[in-house]
């Protein structure tokens, strides 16, 4: 009786979303009301291990107490000043982020897509003011299967038809080459090329890892051709791959790094770009901005999110347990699995086309208490918060194995 009532609570809330919201997502029908660390609870009291971590926004674990405290404390003091005035959190946030990244300056935004837009503006400005590209002719090289967000400019250079369908006309000035193909990128460079924009590993495409040396080659091309290397670390950054930044795996230094998602540990939308003076110094007052960008709550939350990531050694945990998870998942003997690949606690289980798609496995895992979401149709993404323990990981892997080897 009680269970029936609870189940109808889920159904009622799903019905509300479906009745009154735009249907721009196809979520699993689990209605979450509470979360802590790697665990979430739904409205009928079921507990799940979160293996998506809000697309890597909650690397620090759900509702990390120190980040919650920072959010509450700062909200009580002052929440929004606008950038018309200054606030006492922004300077320290800039300083700490530049110390962490080794870049000279920060430009804060809110969402990932806005940070990508900011990077595009920075690269174009640099092309015109420094490189001397004729006005209106700057080009940015991007890659097939990219995901950089959902604005009209960004979806315009997507290769996913659904992302674009019905949303044109699109912004010109982008040239698309195959992901992982540095030679194709090199061939696409012209005197008007401003930048190459790349994900070090493609998350939304299904945890696609490029060939070794790909980023290093892009770095060399940008050096030789005088263009900027822009790296989108919104999903790959902040420990997800077992390093603070995924580009560190290739020991390169991009000209500009784009970050978001875990920059706030899931408590607030905070994004940023970092770069040196030669690029960032080109922004003049009035060139670019955001009402909420760099607000005191965002800055206080991000400062704490960065601090706990380092102090609680979450990046090291991602490296250690990620390697362990990949090994164990690769050992699963399943007729449905085509490939298991990953870096750090960021694993893609690519299913065989005969498996009937990843969705049914995600539904089965949900029944067993593990929340995963299919990426495109054929990849199960395993990306828990980086605070996961070995025992919790074993618990999840047992269930993933059962789902992949069951009927
Ligand atoms: C999520 C994501 C974005 C967009 O971030 P939003 O906050 O959703 O706008 C951009 N690039 C990458 C690589 C992402 O994973």
């Amino acid at each position: 009786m009680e269970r029936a009532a609870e189940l109808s609570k889920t159904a009622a809330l799903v019905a509300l979303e479906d009745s009154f919201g735009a249907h721009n997502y196809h979520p699993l029908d689990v209605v979450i009301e509470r979360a802590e660390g790697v665990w979430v609870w739904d409205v009928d009291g079921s507990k799940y291990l979160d293996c998506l971590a809000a697309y890597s926004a909650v690397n620090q674990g759900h509702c990390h107490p120190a980040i919650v405290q920072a959010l509450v404390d700062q909200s009580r003091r002052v929440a929004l000043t606008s950038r018309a005035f200054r606030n006492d959190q922004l300077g320290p946030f800039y300083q700490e982020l530049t110390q962490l990244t080794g870049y000279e300056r920060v430009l804060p935004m809110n969402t990932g897509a806005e940070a990508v837009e900011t990077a595009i503006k920075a690269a174009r400005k640099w092309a015109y003011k420094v490189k001397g590209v004729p006005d209106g002719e700057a080009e940015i090289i991007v890659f097939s299967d990219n995901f950089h967000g959902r604005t009209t400019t960004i979806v315009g250079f997507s290769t996913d038809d659904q992302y674009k369908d019905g949303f044109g006309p699109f912004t010109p000035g982008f040239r698309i080459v195959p992901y992982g193909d540095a030679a194709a990128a090199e061939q696409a460079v012209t005197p008007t090329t401003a930048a190459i924009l790349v994900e070090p590993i493609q998350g939304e495409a299904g945890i696609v890892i490029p060939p070794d040396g790909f980023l290093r080659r892009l770095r060399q091309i940008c050096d030789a051709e005088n263009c900027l290397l822009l790296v989108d670390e919104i999903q790959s950054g902040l420990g997800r791959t077992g390093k603070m930044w995924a580009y560190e795996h290739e020991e390169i230094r991009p000209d500009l790094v784009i970050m978001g998602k875990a920059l706030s540990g899931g408590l607030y939308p905070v994004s940023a770009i970092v770069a040196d003076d030669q690029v960032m110094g080109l922004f003049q007052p009035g060139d670019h901005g955001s009402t909420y960008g760099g607000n005191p709550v965002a800055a206080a939350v991000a400062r704490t999110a960065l601090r706990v990531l380092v102090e609680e050694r979450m990046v090291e945990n991602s490296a250690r347990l990620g390697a362990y998870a990949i090994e164990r998942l690769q050992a699963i003997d399943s007729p449905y699995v085509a490939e298991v690949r990953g870096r750090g606690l960021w694993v893609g289980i690519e299913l065989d086309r005969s498996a009937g798609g990843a969705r049914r496995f995600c539904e089965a895992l949900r029944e067993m208490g593990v929340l995963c979401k299919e990426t495109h149709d054929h990849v199960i993404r395993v990306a828990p918060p980086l605070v996961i323990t070995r025992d919790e990981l074993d618990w999840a892997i047992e269930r993933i194995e059962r789902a992949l080897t069951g009927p």
Side-chain angles (χ1 to χ4, degrees), residues 111-113 116 147-149 199 232 234-235 261:
T111 65
V116 172
F147 184 82
H148 297 287
E199 297 160 86
D232 182 344
I234 291 169
Q235 192 166 160
K261 294 202 167 104

Side-chain angles (χ1 to χ4, degrees), residues 332-336 355 360-361 364 368 398-407:
I332 293 173
D333 184 17
S334 162
Y336 306 122
R360 71 180 179 97
F361 295 94
M368 290 186 254
E398 272 165 38
R399 279 153 184 81
I400 293 168
E401 175 158 20
R402 212 187 304 156
L404 289 171
T405 54

Side-chain angles (χ1 to χ4, degrees), residues 131 133 145 173 198 225 231 243 251 283 289 306 323 334 373 375:
K131 183 168 175 175
V133 172
D145 300 317
V198 67
E225 305 284 348
V231 175
K243 302 242 187 222
E251 296 172 332
F283 283 106
L306 292 173
S334 162
K373 183 73 168 68
T375 301

Side-chain angles (χ1 to χ4, degrees), residues 221-303:
I221 293 163
C222 287
D223 288 341
E225 305 284 348
N226 189 29
C227 47
L228 302 177
L229 183 59
L230 319 176
V231 175
D232 182 344
E233 291 269 9
I234 291 169
Q235 192 166 160
S236 57
L238 295 161
R240 178 50 61 187
T241 68
K243 302 242 187 222
M244 184 59 81
W245 308 104
Y247 66 74
E248 291 174 50
H249 290 285
E250 296 233 322
E251 296 172 332
I252 60 145
R253 187 172 189 271
D255 297 295
L256 184 155
V257 183
I258 307 163
M259 61 196 72
K261 294 202 167 104
L263 187 54
S264 70
L267 269 294
Y268 203 82
V270 187
S271 66
I273 65 166
V274 295
D276 288 337
D277 254 337
Q278 56 139 355
V279 174
M280 211 73 102
L282 298 171
F283 283 106
Q284 300 294 315
D287 280 354
H288 187 50
S290 161
T291 303
Y292 277 84
N295 76 69
V297 171
V301 162
R303 292 177 67 194

